[in-house]
Amino acid sequence: RAQLTAENEALATELRQLKLKSLRFSALERENADLRRLQEPLPPLINKTLIGEVVSVELSVLRQRLLINRGTANGVKKAQPVITADGVLGQVLRVGPWSSEIILITDAEHALPVEVLRSGLRTIAVGVGEADRLTLPYVPLNSDIREGDQLVTSGLGGVFPQGLPVATVTSAKRDPSQSLAHILATPTSRIERDRHVLFVWFTPTHPAAAGPA
C-alpha cells in the first residue's frame, strides 16, 4: 500500500509538471505567432522597424498608456509612430535610454487624423479613455460615412504616414437637430492583448509620408 501511494504521488507530480509545460508551450506558440505577424510585409514607405515588448499597461479613463522596453539607446525618439500587426497603436510620448512611454490612440488626450477608405472623407479620431472605442466628433451631418467603414491614417499631422489601418466604424447616428453626426469606431489593434509592438521609421520623401496638419 505504501508503494502504491508513493507511485500515485509521483504520477500526480509528473502530471502537474506536464500540464505546466503544456501551458508554457502554448504561451510560446502564441508569442511566436504574434512575432511572425509583426514581420509580415509592411507598406513600402516604411524603411526600418524595431520590435518592442510591453513592460506595463495603464488603461483607465484618464490614461491609456504602455511602457515599452525600447528607448533612445535603440534609436527611439519622441512622437515616433508605434503600430501592431493589426494597425496603429499610438506614438511615443516620453522616451528614456532604455524604455519609452506610448500614448495610445484611445487616450482622451490623443487625436489622430484619419481618412475613410471608401469615400476619402478626412476627419479626426479622438480617444475617449476606453481601449475599444474612438469617437469622430467633427463629422458634418451629411458626410459620407457609415457603419462598417474602414478608417486609415490620412498622412496629415506630421506623425503617421498615410494608409495605416486605424479603426472600423461601429456606429453612425445622425440627429437632424444637430449639425454634427455621432460617430464611434473600434480600433483594429488589440490594445488590451498585444504583448509586442513595432516602432516604425518611414522614408520622408515617399508620397505617403506624414505631412503637416
Side-chain angles (χ1 to χ4, degrees):
R1 184 180 299 176
Q3 182 179 356
L4 288 173
T5 300
E7 289 178 354
N8 285 338
E9 291 178 352
L11 288 172
T13 300
E14 183 179 357
L15 181 60
R16 286 194 295 270
Q17 291 174 344
L18 288 173
K19 287 182 177 179
L20 181 58
K21 287 181 180 179
S22 177
L23 290 174
R24 288 175 178 170
F25 285 141
S26 297
L28 287 173
E29 286 179 352
R30 289 194 298 271
E31 182 174 336
N32 287 337
D34 288 340
L35 290 173
R36 284 195 297 270
R37 293 180 68 236
L38 284 175
Q39 297 293 352
E40 290 177 355
L42 293 167
L45 67 96
I46 294 177
N47 57 27
K48 179 184 175 183
T49 62
L50 174 68
I51 294 177
E53 186 173 353
V54 177
V55 176
S56 67
V57 180
E58 183 177 1
L59 299 178
S60 67
V61 175
L62 298 178
R63 289 167 62 90
Q64 298 268 304
R65 313 283 171 88
L66 299 179
L67 185 66
I68 310 297
N69 66 341
R70 294 289 185 265
T72 54
N74 309 107
V76 175
K77 58 184 180 180
K78 186 176 180 180
Q80 184 164 2
V82 182
I83 67 174
T84 70
D86 298 302
V88 172
L89 187 70
Q91 61 180 291
V92 177
L93 181 65
R94 298 182 182 88
V95 60
W98 307 108
S99 65
S100 53
E101 181 182 354
I102 310 302
I103 180 170
L104 302 177
I105 60 174
T106 51
D107 192 286
E109 296 182 6
H110 194 277
L112 175 63
V114 296
E115 178 179 342
V116 178
L117 193 59
R118 177 184 57 81
S119 65
L121 173 70
R122 289 178 176 174
T123 185
I124 304 293
V126 179
V128 296
E130 298 178 20
D132 60 349
R133 185 178 299 180
L134 298 171
T135 183
L136 281 64
Y138 309 115
V139 177
L141 203 63
N142 60 350
S143 296
D144 188 6
I145 184 171
R146 59 189 182 219
E147 186 175 327
D149 274 341
Q150 302 299 308
L151 303 177
V152 298
T153 50
S154 67
L156 301 179
V159 176
F160 294 94
Q162 183 181 13
L164 298 178
V166 175
T168 301
V169 176
T170 53
S171 176
K173 298 180 179 179
R174 292 169 171 82
D175 183 347
S177 65
Q178 304 293 324
S179 59
L180 298 173
H182 182 67
I183 311 295
L184 298 176
T186 299
T188 56
S189 290
R190 302 176 301 172
I191 287 173
E192 292 180 302
R193 292 176 290 171
D194 279 313
R195 182 178 175 183
H196 294 92
V197 303
L198 203 62
F199 296 88
V200 296
W201 289 259
F202 54 88
T203 307
T205 56
H206 194 283

mmCIF file with all atom_site columns, all heavy atoms in Angstrom, residues 134-160:
data_model
loop_
_atom_site.group_PDB
_atom_site.id
_atom_site.type_symbol
_atom_site.label_atom_id
_atom_site.label_alt_id
_atom_site.label_comp_id
_atom_site.label_asym_id
_atom_site.label_entity_id
_atom_site.label_seq_id
_atom_site.pdbx_PDB_ins_code
_atom_site.Cartn_x
_atom_site.Cartn_y
_atom_site.Cartn_z
_atom_site.occupancy
_atom_site.B_iso_or_equiv
_atom_site.pdbx_formal_charge
_atom_site.auth_seq_id
_atom_site.auth_comp_id
_atom_site.auth_asym_id
_atom_site.auth_atom_id
_atom_site.pdbx_PDB_model_num
ATOM 1   N N   . LEU A 1 134 ? -13.169 54.703 -30.175 1.00 0.00 ? 134 LEU A N   1
ATOM 2   C CA  . LEU A 1 134 ? -12.761 56.033 -30.609 1.00 0.00 ? 134 LEU A CA  1
ATOM 3   C C   . LEU A 1 134 ? -14.011 56.799 -30.999 1.00 0.00 ? 134 LEU A C   1
ATOM 4   O O   . LEU A 1 134 ? -15.047 56.204 -31.312 1.00 0.00 ? 134 LEU A O   1
ATOM 5   C CB  . LEU A 1 134 ? -11.828 55.950 -31.822 1.00 0.00 ? 134 LEU A CB  1
ATOM 6   C CG  . LEU A 1 134 ? -10.490 55.232 -31.655 1.00 0.00 ? 134 LEU A CG  1
ATOM 7   C CD1 . LEU A 1 134 ? -9.824  55.057 -33.011 1.00 0.00 ? 134 LEU A CD1 1
ATOM 8   C CD2 . LEU A 1 134 ? -9.583  56.008 -30.717 1.00 0.00 ? 134 LEU A CD2 1
ATOM 9   N N   . THR A 1 135 ? -13.905 58.113 -30.994 1.00 0.00 ? 135 THR A N   1
ATOM 10  C CA  . THR A 1 135 ? -15.012 58.930 -31.474 1.00 0.00 ? 135 THR A CA  1
ATOM 11  C C   . THR A 1 135 ? -14.514 59.858 -32.575 1.00 0.00 ? 135 THR A C   1
ATOM 12  O O   . THR A 1 135 ? -13.344 60.234 -32.595 1.00 0.00 ? 135 THR A O   1
ATOM 13  C CB  . THR A 1 135 ? -15.642 59.755 -30.332 1.00 0.00 ? 135 THR A CB  1
ATOM 14  O OG1 . THR A 1 135 ? -16.760 60.493 -30.830 1.00 0.00 ? 135 THR A OG1 1
ATOM 15  C CG2 . THR A 1 135 ? -14.638 60.728 -29.728 1.00 0.00 ? 135 THR A CG2 1
ATOM 16  N N   . LEU A 1 136 ? -15.406 60.191 -33.492 1.00 0.00 ? 136 LEU A N   1
ATOM 17  C CA  . LEU A 1 136 ? -15.106 61.131 -34.570 1.00 0.00 ? 136 LEU A CA  1
ATOM 18  C C   . LEU A 1 136 ? -16.032 62.328 -34.377 1.00 0.00 ? 136 LEU A C   1
ATOM 19  O O   . LEU A 1 136 ? -17.127 62.386 -34.944 1.00 0.00 ? 136 LEU A O   1
ATOM 20  C CB  . LEU A 1 136 ? -15.331 60.486 -35.945 1.00 0.00 ? 136 LEU A CB  1
ATOM 21  C CG  . LEU A 1 136 ? -14.223 59.555 -36.477 1.00 0.00 ? 136 LEU A CG  1
ATOM 22  C CD1 . LEU A 1 136 ? -14.063 58.325 -35.596 1.00 0.00 ? 136 LEU A CD1 1
ATOM 23  C CD2 . LEU A 1 136 ? -14.512 59.143 -37.907 1.00 0.00 ? 136 LEU A CD2 1
ATOM 24  N N   . PRO A 1 137 ? -15.632 63.305 -33.560 1.00 0.00 ? 137 PRO A N   1
ATOM 25  C CA  . PRO A 1 137 ? -16.554 64.363 -33.126 1.00 0.00 ? 137 PRO A CA  1
ATOM 26  C C   . PRO A 1 137 ? -16.759 65.496 -34.119 1.00 0.00 ? 137 PRO A C   1
ATOM 27  O O   . PRO A 1 137 ? -17.598 66.368 -33.860 1.00 0.00 ? 137 PRO A O   1
ATOM 28  C CB  . PRO A 1 137 ? -15.888 64.883 -31.847 1.00 0.00 ? 137 PRO A CB  1
ATOM 29  C CG  . PRO A 1 137 ? -14.435 64.651 -32.071 1.00 0.00 ? 137 PRO A CG  1
ATOM 30  C CD  . PRO A 1 137 ? -14.320 63.398 -32.892 1.00 0.00 ? 137 PRO A CD  1
ATOM 31  N N   . TYR A 1 138 ? -16.021 65.512 -35.239 1.00 0.00 ? 138 TYR A N   1
ATOM 32  C CA  . TYR A 1 138 ? -16.083 66.669 -36.126 1.00 0.00 ? 138 TYR A CA  1
ATOM 33  C C   . TYR A 1 138 ? -16.619 66.318 -37.511 1.00 0.00 ? 138 TYR A C   1
ATOM 34  O O   . TYR A 1 138 ? -16.253 66.932 -38.510 1.00 0.00 ? 138 TYR A O   1
ATOM 35  C CB  . TYR A 1 138 ? -14.687 67.298 -36.258 1.00 0.00 ? 138 TYR A CB  1
ATOM 36  C CG  . TYR A 1 138 ? -14.032 67.561 -34.930 1.00 0.00 ? 138 TYR A CG  1
ATOM 37  C CD1 . TYR A 1 138 ? -12.877 66.875 -34.558 1.00 0.00 ? 138 TYR A CD1 1
ATOM 38  C CD2 . TYR A 1 138 ? -14.582 68.475 -34.030 1.00 0.00 ? 138 TYR A CD2 1
ATOM 39  C CE1 . TYR A 1 138 ? -12.281 67.107 -33.329 1.00 0.00 ? 138 TYR A CE1 1
ATOM 40  C CE2 . TYR A 1 138 ? -13.988 68.702 -32.802 1.00 0.00 ? 138 TYR A CE2 1
ATOM 41  C CZ  . TYR A 1 138 ? -12.841 68.018 -32.458 1.00 0.00 ? 138 TYR A CZ  1
ATOM 42  O OH  . TYR A 1 138 ? -12.254 68.246 -31.237 1.00 0.00 ? 138 TYR A OH  1
ATOM 43  N N   . VAL A 1 139 ? -17.496 65.333 -37.594 1.00 0.00 ? 139 VAL A N   1
ATOM 44  C CA  . VAL A 1 139 ? -18.043 64.906 -38.876 1.00 0.00 ? 139 VAL A CA  1
ATOM 45  C C   . VAL A 1 139 ? -19.383 65.605 -39.135 1.00 0.00 ? 139 VAL A C   1
ATOM 46  O O   . VAL A 1 139 ? -20.331 65.420 -38.365 1.00 0.00 ? 139 VAL A O   1
ATOM 47  C CB  . VAL A 1 139 ? -18.250 63.371 -38.903 1.00 0.00 ? 139 VAL A CB  1
ATOM 48  C CG1 . VAL A 1 139 ? -18.882 62.941 -40.217 1.00 0.00 ? 139 VAL A CG1 1
ATOM 49  C CG2 . VAL A 1 139 ? -16.918 62.650 -38.681 1.00 0.00 ? 139 VAL A CG2 1
ATOM 50  N N   . PRO A 1 140 ? -19.495 66.412 -40.187 1.00 0.00 ? 140 PRO A N   1
ATOM 51  C CA  . PRO A 1 140 ? -20.770 67.061 -40.507 1.00 0.00 ? 140 PRO A CA  1
ATOM 52  C C   . PRO A 1 140 ? -21.884 66.039 -40.754 1.00 0.00 ? 140 PRO A C   1
ATOM 53  O O   . PRO A 1 140 ? -21.625 64.901 -41.142 1.00 0.00 ? 140 PRO A O   1
ATOM 54  C CB  . PRO A 1 140 ? -20.457 67.845 -41.784 1.00 0.00 ? 140 PRO A CB  1
ATOM 55  C CG  . PRO A 1 140 ? -18.975 68.071 -41.726 1.00 0.00 ? 140 PRO A CG  1
ATOM 56  C CD  . PRO A 1 140 ? -18.414 66.844 -41.078 1.00 0.00 ? 140 PRO A CD  1
ATOM 57  N N   . LEU A 1 141 ? -23.100 66.476 -40.545 1.00 0.00 ? 141 LEU A N   1
ATOM 58  C CA  . LEU A 1 141 ? -24.262 65.592 -40.591 1.00 0.00 ? 141 LEU A CA  1
ATOM 59  C C   . LEU A 1 141 ? -24.397 64.884 -41.936 1.00 0.00 ? 141 LEU A C   1
ATOM 60  O O   . LEU A 1 141 ? -24.775 63.710 -42.007 1.00 0.00 ? 141 LEU A O   1
ATOM 61  C CB  . LEU A 1 141 ? -25.526 66.391 -40.284 1.00 0.00 ? 141 LEU A CB  1
ATOM 62  C CG  . LEU A 1 141 ? -26.732 65.607 -39.762 1.00 0.00 ? 141 LEU A CG  1
ATOM 63  C CD1 . LEU A 1 141 ? -26.421 64.972 -38.431 1.00 0.00 ? 141 LEU A CD1 1
ATOM 64  C CD2 . LEU A 1 141 ? -27.947 66.523 -39.657 1.00 0.00 ? 141 LEU A CD2 1
ATOM 65  N N   . ASN A 1 142 ? -24.096 65.567 -43.027 1.00 0.00 ? 142 ASN A N   1
ATOM 66  C CA  . ASN A 1 142 ? -24.310 64.995 -44.365 1.00 0.00 ? 142 ASN A CA  1
ATOM 67  C C   . ASN A 1 142 ? -23.069 64.325 -44.951 1.00 0.00 ? 142 ASN A C   1
ATOM 68  O O   . ASN A 1 142 ? -23.006 64.060 -46.149 1.00 0.00 ? 142 ASN A O   1
ATOM 69  C CB  . ASN A 1 142 ? -24.795 66.088 -45.324 1.00 0.00 ? 142 ASN A CB  1
ATOM 70  C CG  . ASN A 1 142 ? -23.803 67.225 -45.450 1.00 0.00 ? 142 ASN A CG  1
ATOM 71  O OD1 . ASN A 1 142 ? -22.836 67.291 -44.687 1.00 0.00 ? 142 ASN A OD1 1
ATOM 72  N ND2 . ASN A 1 142 ? -24.033 68.116 -46.411 1.00 0.00 ? 142 ASN A ND2 1
ATOM 73  N N   . SER A 1 143 ? -22.064 64.047 -44.135 1.00 0.00 ? 143 SER A N   1
ATOM 74  C CA  . SER A 1 143 ? -20.831 63.441 -44.630 1.00 0.00 ? 143 SER A CA  1
ATOM 75  C C   . SER A 1 143 ? -21.046 61.980 -45.027 1.00 0.00 ? 143 SER A C   1
ATOM 76  O O   . SER A 1 143 ? -21.903 61.279 -44.466 1.00 0.00 ? 143 SER A O   1
ATOM 77  C CB  . SER A 1 143 ? -19.744 63.516 -43.559 1.00 0.00 ? 143 SER A CB  1
ATOM 78  O OG  . SER A 1 143 ? -19.414 64.855 -43.286 1.00 0.00 ? 143 SER A OG  1
ATOM 79  N N   . ASP A 1 144 ? -20.237 61.520 -45.987 1.00 0.00 ? 144 ASP A N   1
ATOM 80  C CA  . ASP A 1 144 ? -20.346 60.156 -46.497 1.00 0.00 ? 144 ASP A CA  1
ATOM 81  C C   . ASP A 1 144 ? -19.530 59.213 -45.613 1.00 0.00 ? 144 ASP A C   1
ATOM 82  O O   . ASP A 1 144 ? -18.379 58.887 -45.896 1.00 0.00 ? 144 ASP A O   1
ATOM 83  C CB  . ASP A 1 144 ? -19.840 60.103 -47.948 1.00 0.00 ? 144 ASP A CB  1
ATOM 84  C CG  . ASP A 1 144 ? -20.100 58.748 -48.596 1.00 0.00 ? 144 ASP A CG  1
ATOM 85  O OD1 . ASP A 1 144 ? -20.762 57.898 -47.968 1.00 0.00 ? 144 ASP A OD1 1
ATOM 86  O OD2 . ASP A 1 144 ? -19.630 58.547 -49.737 1.00 0.00 ? 144 ASP A OD2 1
ATOM 87  N N   . ILE A 1 145 ? -20.152 58.771 -44.534 1.00 0.00 ? 145 ILE A N   1
ATOM 88  C CA  . ILE A 1 145 ? -19.534 57.814 -43.621 1.00 0.00 ? 145 ILE A CA  1
ATOM 89  C C   . ILE A 1 145 ? -20.636 56.957 -43.030 1.00 0.00 ? 145 ILE A C   1
ATOM 90  O O   . ILE A 1 145 ? -21.738 57.454 -42.741 1.00 0.00 ? 145 ILE A O   1
ATOM 91  C CB  . ILE A 1 145 ? -18.729 58.536 -42.512 1.00 0.00 ? 145 ILE A CB  1
ATOM 92  C CG1 . ILE A 1 145 ? -18.004 57.521 -41.623 1.00 0.00 ? 145 ILE A CG1 1
ATOM 93  C CG2 . ILE A 1 145 ? -19.613 59.452 -41.685 1.00 0.00 ? 145 ILE A CG2 1
ATOM 94  C CD1 . ILE A 1 145 ? -17.015 58.171 -40.656 1.00 0.00 ? 145 ILE A CD1 1
ATOM 95  N N   . ARG A 1 146 ? -20.360 55.663 -42.895 1.00 0.00 ? 146 ARG A N   1
ATOM 96  C CA  . ARG A 1 146 ? -21.406 54.766 -42.401 1.00 0.00 ? 146 ARG A CA  1
ATOM 97  C C   . ARG A 1 146 ? -20.786 53.603 -41.635 1.00 0.00 ? 146 ARG A C   1
ATOM 98  O O   . ARG A 1 146 ? -19.571 53.380 -41.675 1.00 0.00 ? 146 ARG A O   1
ATOM 99  C CB  . ARG A 1 146 ? -22.249 54.251 -43.552 1.00 0.00 ? 146 ARG A CB  1
ATOM 100 C CG  . ARG A 1 146 ? -21.483 53.489 -44.628 1.00 0.00 ? 146 ARG A CG  1
ATOM 101 C CD  . ARG A 1 146 ? -22.363 53.208 -45.823 1.00 0.00 ? 146 ARG A CD  1
ATOM 102 N NE  . ARG A 1 146 ? -21.685 52.438 -46.854 1.00 0.00 ? 146 ARG A NE  1
ATOM 103 C CZ  . ARG A 1 146 ? -21.814 52.635 -48.148 1.00 0.00 ? 146 ARG A CZ  1
ATOM 104 N NH1 . ARG A 1 146 ? -22.577 53.630 -48.591 1.00 0.00 ? 146 ARG A NH1 1
ATOM 105 N NH2 . ARG A 1 146 ? -21.183 51.869 -49.025 1.00 0.00 ? 146 ARG A NH2 1
ATOM 106 N N   . GLU A 1 147 ? -21.631 52.871 -40.953 1.00 0.00 ? 147 GLU A N   1
ATOM 107 C CA  . GLU A 1 147 ? -21.188 51.722 -40.177 1.00 0.00 ? 147 GLU A CA  1
ATOM 108 C C   . GLU A 1 147 ? -20.464 50.721 -41.067 1.00 0.00 ? 147 GLU A C   1
ATOM 109 O O   . GLU A 1 147 ? -20.914 50.408 -42.170 1.00 0.00 ? 147 GLU A O   1
ATOM 110 C CB  . GLU A 1 147 ? -22.391 51.068 -39.499 1.00 0.00 ? 147 GLU A CB  1
ATOM 111 C CG  . GLU A 1 147 ? -22.039 49.948 -38.549 1.00 0.00 ? 147 GLU A CG  1
ATOM 112 C CD  . GLU A 1 147 ? -23.255 49.420 -37.823 1.00 0.00 ? 147 GLU A CD  1
ATOM 113 O OE1 . GLU A 1 147 ? -24.177 50.205 -37.548 1.00 0.00 ? 147 GLU A OE1 1
ATOM 114 O OE2 . GLU A 1 147 ? -23.274 48.202 -37.518 1.00 0.00 ? 147 GLU A OE2 1
ATOM 115 N N   . GLY A 1 148 ? -19.330 50.208 -40.577 1.00 0.00 ? 148 GLY A N   1
ATOM 116 C CA  . GLY A 1 148 ? -18.538 49.254 -41.341 1.00 0.00 ? 148 GLY A CA  1
ATOM 117 C C   . GLY A 1 148 ? -17.402 49.873 -42.131 1.00 0.00 ? 148 GLY A C   1
ATOM 118 O O   . GLY A 1 148 ? -16.523 49.162 -42.630 1.00 0.00 ? 148 GLY A O   1
ATOM 119 N N   . ASP A 1 149 ? -17.388 51.203 -42.261 1.00 0.00 ? 149 ASP A N   1
ATOM 120 C CA  . ASP A 1 149 ? -16.309 51.874 -42.991 1.00 0.00 ? 149 ASP A CA  1
ATOM 121 C C   . ASP A 1 149 ? -14.971 51.662 -42.286 1.00 0.00 ? 149 ASP A C   1
ATOM 122 O O   . ASP A 1 149 ? -14.884 51.695 -41.058 1.00 0.00 ? 149 ASP A O   1
ATOM 123 C CB  . ASP A 1 149 ? -16.585 53.381 -43.108 1.00 0.00 ? 149 ASP A CB  1
ATOM 124 C CG  . ASP A 1 149 ? -17.459 53.713 -44.305 1.00 0.00 ? 149 ASP A CG  1
ATOM 125 O OD1 . ASP A 1 149 ? -17.556 52.883 -45.220 1.00 0.00 ? 149 ASP A OD1 1
ATOM 126 O OD2 . ASP A 1 149 ? -18.051 54.815 -44.320 1.00 0.00 ? 149 ASP A OD2 1
ATOM 127 N N   . GLN A 1 150 ? -13.916 51.485 -43.094 1.00 0.00 ? 150 GLN A N   1
ATOM 128 C CA  . GLN A 1 150 ? -12.571 51.329 -42.569 1.00 0.00 ? 150 GLN A CA  1
ATOM 129 C C   . GLN A 1 150 ? -11.889 52.695 -42.506 1.00 0.00 ? 150 GLN A C   1
ATOM 130 O O   . GLN A 1 150 ? -11.939 53.465 -43.465 1.00 0.00 ? 150 GLN A O   1
ATOM 131 C CB  . GLN A 1 150 ? -11.753 50.386 -43.448 1.00 0.00 ? 150 GLN A CB  1
ATOM 132 C CG  . GLN A 1 150 ? -12.368 48.999 -43.601 1.00 0.00 ? 150 GLN A CG  1
ATOM 133 C CD  . GLN A 1 150 ? -12.500 48.271 -42.278 1.00 0.00 ? 150 GLN A CD  1
ATOM 134 O OE1 . GLN A 1 150 ? -11.523 48.163 -41.534 1.00 0.00 ? 150 GLN A OE1 1
ATOM 135 N NE2 . GLN A 1 150 ? -13.691 47.782 -41.978 1.00 0.00 ? 150 GLN A NE2 1
ATOM 136 N N   . LEU A 1 151 ? -11.254 52.969 -41.375 1.00 0.00 ? 151 LEU A N   1
ATOM 137 C CA  . LEU A 1 151 ? -10.518 54.215 -41.193 1.00 0.00 ? 151 LEU A CA  1
ATOM 138 C C   . LEU A 1 151 ? -9.021  53.933 -41.270 1.00 0.00 ? 151 LEU A C   1
ATOM 139 O O   . LEU A 1 151 ? -8.528  52.982 -40.649 1.00 0.00 ? 151 LEU A O   1
ATOM 140 C CB  . LEU A 1 151 ? -10.847 54.846 -39.840 1.00 0.00 ? 151 LEU A CB  1
ATOM 141 C CG  . LEU A 1 151 ? -12.327 55.139 -39.557 1.00 0.00 ? 151 LEU A CG  1
ATOM 142 C CD1 . LEU A 1 151 ? -12.483 55.695 -38.147 1.00 0.00 ? 151 LEU A CD1 1
ATOM 143 C CD2 . LEU A 1 151 ? -12.894 56.106 -40.575 1.00 0.00 ? 151 LEU A CD2 1
ATOM 144 N N   . VAL A 1 152 ? -8.292  54.759 -42.014 1.00 0.00 ? 152 VAL A N   1
ATOM 145 C CA  . VAL A 1 152 ? -6.837  54.651 -42.114 1.00 0.00 ? 152 VAL A CA  1
ATOM 146 C C   . VAL A 1 152 ? -6.233  56.015 -41.822 1.00 0.00 ? 152 VAL A C   1
ATOM 147 O O   . VAL A 1 152 ? -6.923  57.038 -41.840 1.00 0.00 ? 152 VAL A O   1
ATOM 148 C CB  . VAL A 1 152 ? -6.400  54.165 -43.515 1.00 0.00 ? 152 VAL A CB  1
ATOM 149 C CG1 . VAL A 1 152 ? -6.951  52.777 -43.797 1.00 0.00 ? 152 VAL A CG1 1
ATOM 150 C CG2 . VAL A 1 152 ? -6.835  55.145 -44.597 1.00 0.00 ? 152 VAL A CG2 1
ATOM 151 N N   . THR A 1 153 ? -4.942  56.031 -41.547 1.00 0.00 ? 153 THR A N   1
ATOM 152 C CA  . THR A 1 153 ? -4.269  57.311 -41.320 1.00 0.00 ? 153 THR A CA  1
ATOM 153 C C   . THR A 1 153 ? -4.286  58.137 -42.607 1.00 0.00 ? 153 THR A C   1
ATOM 154 O O   . THR A 1 153 ? -4.095  57.610 -43.702 1.00 0.00 ? 153 THR A O   1
ATOM 155 C CB  . THR A 1 153 ? -2.812  57.086 -40.872 1.00 0.00 ? 153 THR A CB  1
ATOM 156 O OG1 . THR A 1 153 ? -2.178  56.168 -41.776 1.00 0.00 ? 153 THR A OG1 1
ATOM 157 C CG2 . THR A 1 153 ? -2.765  56.523 -39.464 1.00 0.00 ? 153 THR A CG2 1
ATOM 158 N N   . SER A 1 154 ? -4.523  59.432 -42.478 1.00 0.00 ? 154 SER A N   1
ATOM 159 C CA  . SER A 1 154 ? -4.623  60.305 -43.648 1.00 0.00 ? 154 SER A CA  1
ATOM 160 C C   . SER A 1 154 ? -3.272  60.820 -44.112 1.00 0.00 ? 154 SER A C   1
ATOM 161 O O   . SER A 1 154 ? -3.144  61.343 -45.221 1.00 0.00 ? 154 SER A O   1
ATOM 162 C CB  . SER A 1 154 ? -5.539  61.493 -43.336 1.00 0.00 ? 154 SER A CB  1
ATOM 163 O OG  . SER A 1 154 ? -4.941  62.333 -42.358 1.00 0.00 ? 154 SER A OG  1
ATOM 164 N N   . GLY A 1 155 ? -2.250  60.696 -43.255 1.00 0.00 ? 155 GLY A N   1
ATOM 165 C CA  . GLY A 1 155 ? -0.940  61.227 -43.603 1.00 0.00 ? 155 GLY A CA  1
ATOM 166 C C   . GLY A 1 155 ? -0.733  62.662 -43.147 1.00 0.00 ? 155 GLY A C   1
ATOM 167 O O   . GLY A 1 155 ? 0.371   63.199 -43.263 1.00 0.00 ? 155 GLY A O   1
ATOM 168 N N   . LEU A 1 156 ? -1.778  63.300 -42.625 1.00 0.00 ? 156 LEU A N   1
ATOM 169 C CA  . LEU A 1 156 ? -1.660  64.657 -42.106 1.00 0.00 ? 156 LEU A CA  1
ATOM 170 C C   . LEU A 1 156 ? -1.234  64.610 -40.640 1.00 0.00 ? 156 LEU A C   1
ATOM 171 O O   . LEU A 1 156 ? -1.312  63.577 -39.994 1.00 0.00 ? 156 LEU A O   1
ATOM 172 C CB  . LEU A 1 156 ? -2.991  65.397 -42.247 1.00 0.00 ? 156 LEU A CB  1
ATOM 173 C CG  . LEU A 1 156 ? -3.536  65.530 -43.678 1.00 0.00 ? 156 LEU A CG  1
ATOM 174 C CD1 . LEU A 1 156 ? -4.868  66.256 -43.661 1.00 0.00 ? 156 LEU A CD1 1
ATOM 175 C CD2 . LEU A 1 156 ? -2.534  66.255 -44.573 1.00 0.00 ? 156 LEU A CD2 1
ATOM 176 N N   . GLY A 1 157 ? -0.786  65.745 -40.120 1.00 0.00 ? 157 GLY A N   1
ATOM 177 C CA  . GLY A 1 157 ? -0.411  65.826 -38.717 1.00 0.00 ? 157 GLY A CA  1
ATOM 178 C C   . GLY A 1 157 ? 1.062   65.656 -38.441 1.00 0.00 ? 157 GLY A C   1
ATOM 179 O O   . GLY A 1 157 ? 1.524   65.892 -37.335 1.00 0.00 ? 157 GLY A O   1
ATOM 180 N N   . GLY A 1 158 ? 1.834   65.190 -39.441 1.00 0.00 ? 158 GLY A N   1
ATOM 181 C CA  . GLY A 1 158 ? 3.276   65.119 -39.287 1.00 0.00 ? 158 GLY A CA  1
ATOM 182 C C   . GLY A 1 158 ? 3.823   63.950 -38.501 1.00 0.00 ? 158 GLY A C   1
ATOM 183 O O   . GLY A 1 158 ? 5.016   63.911 -38.216 1.00 0.00 ? 158 GLY A O   1
ATOM 184 N N   . VAL A 1 159 ? 2.973   62.959 -38.143 1.00 0.00 ? 159 VAL A N   1
ATOM 185 C CA  . VAL A 1 159 ? 3.455   61.822 -37.338 1.00 0.00 ? 159 VAL A CA  1
ATOM 186 C C   . VAL A 1 159 ? 3.293   60.506 -38.077 1.00 0.00 ? 159 VAL A C   1
ATOM 187 O O   . VAL A 1 159 ? 4.257   59.780 -38.310 1.00 0.00 ? 159 VAL A O   1
ATOM 188 C CB  . VAL A 1 159 ? 2.726   61.762 -35.979 1.00 0.00 ? 159 VAL A CB  1
ATOM 189 C CG1 . VAL A 1 159 ? 3.171   60.521 -35.188 1.00 0.00 ? 159 VAL A CG1 1
ATOM 190 C CG2 . VAL A 1 159 ? 3.003   63.018 -35.177 1.00 0.00 ? 159 VAL A CG2 1
ATOM 191 N N   . PHE A 1 160 ? 2.061   60.178 -38.448 1.00 0.00 ? 160 PHE A N   1
ATOM 192 C CA  . PHE A 1 160 ? 1.779   58.887 -39.068 1.00 0.00 ? 160 PHE A CA  1
ATOM 193 C C   . PHE A 1 160 ? 1.712   59.013 -40.583 1.00 0.00 ? 160 PHE A C   1
ATOM 194 O O   . PHE A 1 160 ? 1.041   59.915 -41.112 1.00 0.00 ? 160 PHE A O   1
ATOM 195 C CB  . PHE A 1 160 ? 0.442   58.325 -38.564 1.00 0.00 ? 160 PHE A CB  1
ATOM 196 C CG  . PHE A 1 160 ? 0.449   57.972 -37.102 1.00 0.00 ? 160 PHE A CG  1
ATOM 197 C CD1 . PHE A 1 160 ? 0.003   58.877 -36.158 1.00 0.00 ? 160 PHE A CD1 1
ATOM 198 C CD2 . PHE A 1 160 ? 0.910   56.742 -36.674 1.00 0.00 ? 160 PHE A CD2 1
ATOM 199 C CE1 . PHE A 1 160 ? 0.008   58.568 -34.802 1.00 0.00 ? 160 PHE A CE1 1
ATOM 200 C CE2 . PHE A 1 160 ? 0.922   56.416 -35.322 1.00 0.00 ? 160 PHE A CE2 1
ATOM 201 C CZ  . PHE A 1 160 ? 0.472   57.329 -34.386 1.00 0.00 ? 160 PHE A CZ  1
#
